[in-house]
Amino acid sequence: MQKTTVTQPVRSIDLHVHTDYSDGTLSPAQVVEYSIAQGLAAIAITDHDSVEAIPPALAAAVGRSVEVIPGIELSADDQGREIHILGLLIEWRSPLLQERLAALRAARRARILEMISRLNRRGIALNADDVLQLSSGDASLGRLHVARALCCRGIVGSIPEAFTRFIGSKGPCYVPHAAFSAQEAIALVRAVDGIPVLAHPGISLCDELISQMVVDGLRGIEIMHSEHSVQAQLRYTDIARAQGLLFSGGSDCHGTGKGAPRIGSVRVPYEYLEAMKRAKETGCRLHAP
Ligand code: AMP
Ligand code: FE
Ligand code: FE
Ligand code: ZN
């Protein structure tokens, strides 16, 4: 008699998604709908310096086929180089976290206003309102809002042009984030029982800092990312194995802010999330330093 094999459908997830509570363009409910349409089993909401989208995303996912994982993306700095630390499976209700994030968002707002002043000094007619109307309430403001406003005003023809001419890290109107080190970002994620993950190392290019970050408490690394080449993915898989880090992966979707929504464009195995949940249960319970 012939044997029949029952193959389980491959369950994919996306552990890096932005909403319009930071510099994405989709609302939390739209992100949830889009993920379901993409057949994803889980998504992590990882806004820059904000957890405000987590309650509406969790509410939108009740009784639906997608699991919402609470997350964050923290911007840190190492001598002028930007390093992003994701916090996955965080206890997002923590007052300590909410307080720190509110302060980081206030600093972001001041930074964006300073970038607008620098643009004005160069004769670019861009108002604070042009930028603020692209975000709502207490949203985490970023350079992508400025880039979008420059596009809307017809000052640049594309988002990349805004970065190249004005607000990229080497641009004349760039203002760095308030000082926050990778070590502090990792400690904050661990203080709220999350898994700290180095985001898109293939973009940040900070390989020589990874061992120190591991000493500081880093637990994972984003090996799969929509802007990682196959070589980058292989390289960070090797580094993850050598350093004993958990694998992570995601699209880094910003809605339509960087072209078509990327949710589901990187098919990350569900097993990565299961390994993180196990790691959370079995030993990353450091508390506030
Ligand atoms: P911020 O946190 O304000 O520094 O902004 C960072 C955001 O800008 C992230 O979402 C980046 O992906 C995006 N970004 C940085 N450089 C570029 C670039 N050259 N083109 C498009 N987006 C960029
Ligand atoms: Fe972003
Ligand atoms: Fe990032
Ligand atoms: Zn991101």
Side-chain angles (χ1 to χ4, degrees):
M1 205 170 64
Q2 212 179 346
K3 244 188 173 174
T4 47
T5 2
V6 181
T7 47
Q8 294 289 334
V10 177
R11 293 206 295 165
S12 305
I13 59 173
D14 186 334
L15 296 178
H16 191 159
V17 179
H18 295 270
T19 76
D20 61 1
Y21 281 73
S22 67
D23 55 0
T25 60
L26 301 178
S27 69
Q30 287 173 319
V31 160
V32 166
E33 290 308 323
Y34 204 90
S35 320
I36 293 167
Q38 291 292 310
L40 295 177
I43 51 165
I45 302 289
T46 54
D47 277 315
H48 299 284
D49 303 336
S50 172
V51 290
E52 307 291 314
I54 293 171
L58 287 170
V62 170
R64 311 296 301 278
S65 55
V66 73
E67 179 183 351
V68 168
I69 305 301
I72 185 89
E73 184 172 19
L74 296 168
S75 300
D77 167 272
D78 181 87
Q79 294 170 22
R81 186 167 28 175
E82 237 188 80
I83 293 167
H84 291 180
I85 301 292
L86 294 166
L88 298 174
L89 296 165
I90 52 170
E91 301 302 332
W92 58 276
R93 289 187 185 85
S94 153
L96 163 91
L97 180 69
Q98 308 235 353
E99 207 178 288
R100 292 297 300 273
L101 296 180
L104 289 172
R105 283 200 299 279
R108 272 182 172 273
R109 195 157 282 254
R111 166 185 181 244
I112 291 303
L113 293 176
E114 175 58 24
M115 281 195 234
I116 295 169
S117 297
R118 292 193 187 185
L119 285 160
N120 294 160
R121 272 182 249 139
R122 295 180 71 86
I124 309 291
L126 189 77
N127 305 317
D129 279 349
D130 296 328
V131 177
L132 297 178
Q133 71 182 6
L134 298 177
S135 75
S136 56
D138 193 24
S140 185
L141 282 178
R143 282 181 289 160
L144 217 43
H145 293 104
V146 178
R148 259 186 240 140
L150 287 167
C151 275
C152 290
R153 282 243 161 211
I155 294 161
V156 295
S158 70
I159 300 271
E161 186 188 335
F163 281 88
T164 314
R165 280 180 57 197
F166 299 115
I167 54 171
S169 58
K170 304 238 169 1
C173 305
Y174 174 71
V175 178
H177 281 284
F180 191 57
S181 67
Q183 190 176 33
E184 286 174 291
I186 291 167
L188 181 57
V189 172
R190 293 193 67 144
V192 293
D193 285 346
I195 306 279
V197 171
L198 175 62
H200 44 64
I203 300 176
S204 300
L205 305 176
C206 55
D207 294 7
E208 79 285 5
L209 303 177
I210 293 174
S211 321
Q212 182 58 45
M213 286 192 242
V214 172
V215 172
D216 293 336
L218 190 75
R219 295 296 308 269
I221 186 164
E222 194 170 48
I223 58 172
M224 301 174 76
H225 184 274
S226 49
E227 290 176 37
H228 274 183
S229 63
V230 173
Q231 288 86 341
Q233 188 173 320
L234 291 172
R235 171 168 178 74
Y236 294 108
T237 302
D238 286 346
I239 290 179
R241 290 208 172 103
Q243 298 279 352
L245 291 168
L246 292 153
F247 295 166
S248 190
S251 64
D252 203 355
C253 177
H254 284 74
T256 52
K258 294 185 182 182
R262 293 179 184 172
I263 298 175
S265 61
V266 179
R267 308 302 286 194
V268 178
Y270 191 80
E271 287 70 28
Y272 290 9
L273 177 58
E274 288 176 321
M276 281 186 200
K277 286 180 175 175
R278 281 196 301 274
K280 181 172 156 116
E281 277 163 22
T282 57
C284 80
R285 290 196 175 258
L286 276 191
H287 286 279

